[in-house]
Amino acid sequence: MRIPLIAGNWKMYKTPSEAVVLAEEVVKELANPDGIDVVICPPFTALAAVAQVLWGSRIGLGAQDLHWAKEGPYTGEVSAEMLRDLGCRYVIVGHSERRQYFGETDENVNKKSLAALGSGLTPIICVGETLSERETGRAYHVVEAQVKGALSGLAPGQVRALTLAYEPVWAIGTGRTATPEQAEEMHAHVRKTIAGLFGADVARGVRILYGGSVKPENAGELLQRSEIDGALVGGASLQADSFALIVKAAMS
Ligand code: PGA
């Protein structure tokens, strides 16, 4: 009942002209993926150009962050409405790189998620523990607190509409992936947390992606797990062929 989602997070890679080339290659590789949602998230500066490339395809466009205010004196920031108007349907919220380097807090993640939902964007809300948190046995506690913080004050209907991504920080860009068992256990814990807050029915419908060094070689074993509803892919989304192989692994 949960449609898989594969999202490519291009991070701070690709100028607008480079992004157009990559987006064209992705469209060529995947054309109209069936029974799965596919999204690419280029940097802000490339969104308009990539939107043109994706027009008419079944590949969705997402941004990597947003501000929670509708508009205002917030130099350098971008609102949900601005992203919507460009053709975005998704937005990544609370990525660990934003938490780690740019002071993103659970409270901001919550405000950003509400703003995204209010404008009809699907937030892809990222949670995940650091290596020291895992090694000291606090991973479940940390992730649960992040989920509770992000979803605080949301209505059940809003929770149904969003996507979560479990991305252990120690697996991002390191080549080190969580084992399918580790990922599945944490996904089950996240779903249990959502069930406790919003009821089992809502929890059953929420997509939970895995992220952290997902590649064509490990995508199959991760994505076949019933608790893993897709992937948030960084490095391997910067090449159309490897991104397409991950999408195909999710379809099989
Ligand atoms: P990675 O990044 O696939 O390069 O590990 C994932 C992410 O940060 O979303």
Side-chain angles (χ1 to χ4, degrees):
M1 82 195 241
R2 298 188 296 267
I3 299 168
L5 166 66
I6 304 294
N9 173 12
W10 291 6
K11 308 193 180 185
M12 199 174 77
Y13 293 98
K14 305 291 173 189
T15 63
S17 35
E18 289 165 349
V20 164
V21 173
L22 178 55
E24 282 171 351
E25 287 169 1
V26 170
V27 169
K28 207 159 118 207
E29 290 270 355
L30 292 167
N32 290 308
D34 202 22
I36 186 166
D37 290 334
V38 178
V39 178
I40 52 180
C41 305
F44 286 137
T45 44
L47 287 171
V50 170
Q52 303 258 324
V53 177
L54 299 185
W55 186 252
S57 83
R58 284 203 60 242
I59 299 170
L61 183 66
Q64 299 174 16
D65 191 23
L66 79 165
H67 192 274
W68 56 82
K70 273 198 180 335
E71 59 182 5
Y74 303 109
T75 303
E77 294 291 330
V78 171
S79 74
E81 214 40 58
M82 292 170 186
L83 298 174
R84 257 313 272 195
D85 192 65
L86 267 179
C88 289
R89 286 168 33 217
Y90 296 81
V91 60
I92 298 169
V93 179
H95 190 280
S96 67
E97 286 151 12
R98 298 222 57 87
R99 294 179 189 258
Q100 199 176 344
Y101 306 126
F102 304 102
E104 190 84 283
T105 62
D106 286 334
E107 194 191 337
N108 289 358
V109 170
N110 179 240
K111 289 198 273 189
K112 290 179 176 190
S113 301
L114 277 163
L117 289 160
S119 289
L121 292 169
T122 299
I124 301 174
I125 303 171
C126 303
V127 296
E129 80 285 0
T130 62
L131 186 59
S132 76
E133 287 163 347
R134 177 154 285 260
E135 285 176 346
T136 51
R138 289 181 292 142
Y140 285 77
H141 174 76
V142 166
V143 169
E144 186 177 321
Q146 288 174 339
V147 170
K148 286 183 173 164
L151 305 187
S152 165
L154 267 67
Q158 291 178 308
V159 177
R160 268 184 224 275
L162 57 77
T163 294
L164 278 156
Y166 168 55
E167 298 204 305
V169 177
W170 47 272
I172 295 177
T174 57
R176 205 176 146 183
T177 327
T179 64
E181 292 74 24
Q182 283 173 324
E184 185 155 68
E185 280 168 19
M186 187 61 89
H187 283 220
H189 185 68
V190 168
R191 206 175 295 288
K192 205 172 110 197
T193 304
I194 299 171
L197 295 167
F198 300 97
D201 197 43
V202 171
R204 257 195 304 275
V206 176
R207 278 196 289 214
I208 307 175
L209 315 181
Y210 169 77
S213 298
V214 176
K215 297 182 187 63
E217 303 80 59
N218 58 27
E221 56 173 8
L222 287 159
L223 293 167
Q224 75 186 28
R225 298 282 167 148
S226 62
E227 277 294 334
I228 302 180
D229 305 316
L232 182 54
V233 185
S237 72
L238 292 170
Q239 271 165 351
D241 52 354
S242 55
F243 186 61
L245 283 171
I246 294 170
V247 172
K248 285 169 190 161
M251 289 165 78
S252 60

